[in-house]
Amino acid sequence: MGVHSPYQAPKYYVDKYTGHMWGANKDRKNYAAMMSSMDEGIGNITKTLISEGIYNNTIIVFASDNGANVGYCSDADGNLTPTASVEPGSNYPLRGGKRSIFEGGIKSVSFVHSPLLRGGGRVMKDLVHVVDWFSTFEDIISDGFTVPRKYRFKDRNPLDSISAWRAIKKGANGKRKKFLINIDTRGSIKCGPTMPFKGFRKNQWKLIVGGGGPPSGWYSPYGAPISSPDHKLPYLQLFNILLDPSETFNLANATRR
């Protein structure tokens, strides 16, 4: 279940957003309407879990696979050009969007909800990679129990996945400190040719090699670029994500030795 193109929604939901979303294009309004429709669908699932008597033993995880599609790319000459249609997403004030490895393309929100979680809601800001859900779900299933020997994995190769369950359940510090963002990846064909790019994150530091995009600018919720960096992105970019989450200050040259 998720919101994706084509951007279509029942008129009942669209009408909620036609009046007050001044300046937004049609797809932006439809996008909002789709979110409302999805929200209602998730509510219906939750109500069913309650009516079937299994809600109290259920953990609901909601997550995204990438940042919003902003619909702007660089052509072969490095000029910022809109795609055939301006996409309705926005990651502002984060930089970039879907297909890039700037924060707007790779950082996404998620939440975990369950009556099994005690102590009220809290915000977790630790590093979590999408592959970590595998080990996290393993820990959820076996939480508080010793897995019988006959059910244990034998000769399993080491995993990249790191469980985040203790951090989610008890507020402990997360175990993940670094991850490979991407490697030897080219931009989408419709965005024009671009050199391969890759990235690596360790604690607050993020290194991008090869440009990192497109898209690589900052985009408003109404589909127009607020500002764009130089057309030719530096080959090396280094950011302190804790101090500069919008990736505006490239520290690569300042830290070279």
Side-chain angles (χ1 to χ4, degrees), residues 22-191:
W22 181 86
N25 60 35
K26 178 182 177 182
D27 280 346
R28 180 72 176 172
K29 296 172 183 177
N30 286 341
Y31 191 86
M34 292 168 72
M35 290 293 293
S36 291
S37 178
M38 181 182 67
D39 186 56
E40 184 174 305
I42 294 170
N44 292 338
I45 293 173
T46 305
K47 291 176 183 177
T48 302
L49 292 172
I50 295 172
S51 65
E52 293 295 323
I54 56 178
Y55 170 74
N56 288 333
N57 196 37
T58 299
I59 296 174
I60 300 171
V61 177
F62 196 83
S64 177
D65 56 347
N66 48 251
N69 193 358
V70 294
Y72 275 82
C73 303
S74 297
D75 61 18
D77 298 321
N79 299 310
L80 188 70
T81 57
T83 55
S85 62
V86 177
E87 300 292 340
S90 174
N91 306 297
Y92 190 79
L94 299 182
R95 182 178 179 180
K98 183 178 180 179
R99 296 183 302 272
S100 79
I101 57 174
F102 293 103
E103 291 295 280
I106 65 170
K107 185 175 183 178
S108 62
V109 296
S110 61
F111 71 81
V112 179
H113 168 78
S114 175
L116 300 173
L117 296 172
R118 307 298 182 186
R122 58 177 170 268
V123 177
M124 177 181 169
K125 296 185 178 180
D126 300 89
L127 288 179
V128 178
H129 193 280
V130 65
V131 300
D132 294 338
W133 288 118
F134 181 86
S135 292
T136 301
F137 290 146
E138 278 192 325
D139 275 0
I140 289 173
I141 294 170
S142 62
D143 191 21
F145 300 94
T146 300
V147 180
R149 184 175 297 276
K150 65 178 180 179
Y151 295 123
R152 296 176 187 173
F153 289 104
K154 297 179 181 179
D155 302 322
R156 184 167 75 175
N157 290 329
L159 297 175
D160 292 325
S161 182
I162 299 175
S163 175
W165 183 230
R166 288 187 69 251
I168 294 171
K169 183 180 180 182
K170 300 180 179 180
N173 292 329
K175 295 181 180 180
R176 180 170 289 284
K177 305 300 179 185
K178 59 184 179 180
F179 57 78
L180 180 70
I181 300 173
N182 229 332
I183 188 166
D184 198 27
T185 301
R186 292 184 180 273
S188 169
I189 294 175
K190 74 174 183 177
C191 295

Side-chain angles (χ1 to χ4, degrees), residues 5-27:
S5 59
Y7 305 109
Q8 302 169 347
K11 187 175 183 298
Y12 167 77
Y13 298 102
V14 176
D15 287 345
K16 294 182 178 181
Y17 295 98
T18 54
H20 66 281
M21 291 186 68
W22 181 86
N25 60 35
K26 178 182 177 182
D27 280 346

Side-chain angles (χ1 to χ4, degrees), residues 171-249:
N173 292 329
K175 295 181 180 180
R176 180 170 289 284
K177 305 300 179 185
K178 59 184 179 180
F179 57 78
L180 180 70
I181 300 173
N182 229 332
I183 188 166
D184 198 27
T185 301
R186 292 184 180 273
S188 169
I189 294 175
K190 74 174 183 177
C191 295
T194 183
M195 57 185 170
F197 52 79
K198 58 203 76 176
F200 185 78
R201 172 79 183 265
K202 183 175 182 181
N203 297 321
Q204 76 270 33
W205 297 105
K206 179 179 177 181
L207 175 67
I208 296 176
V209 180
S216 58
W218 294 264
Y219 309 91
S220 79
Y222 301 111
I226 294 173
S227 59
S228 178
D230 294 336
H231 290 161
K232 302 298 183 182
L233 293 170
Y235 184 73
L236 285 179
Q237 297 174 84
L238 179 67
F239 302 102
N240 185 325
I241 299 300
L242 283 184
L243 300 179
D244 180 27
S246 297
E247 296 170 294
T248 56
F249 301 104

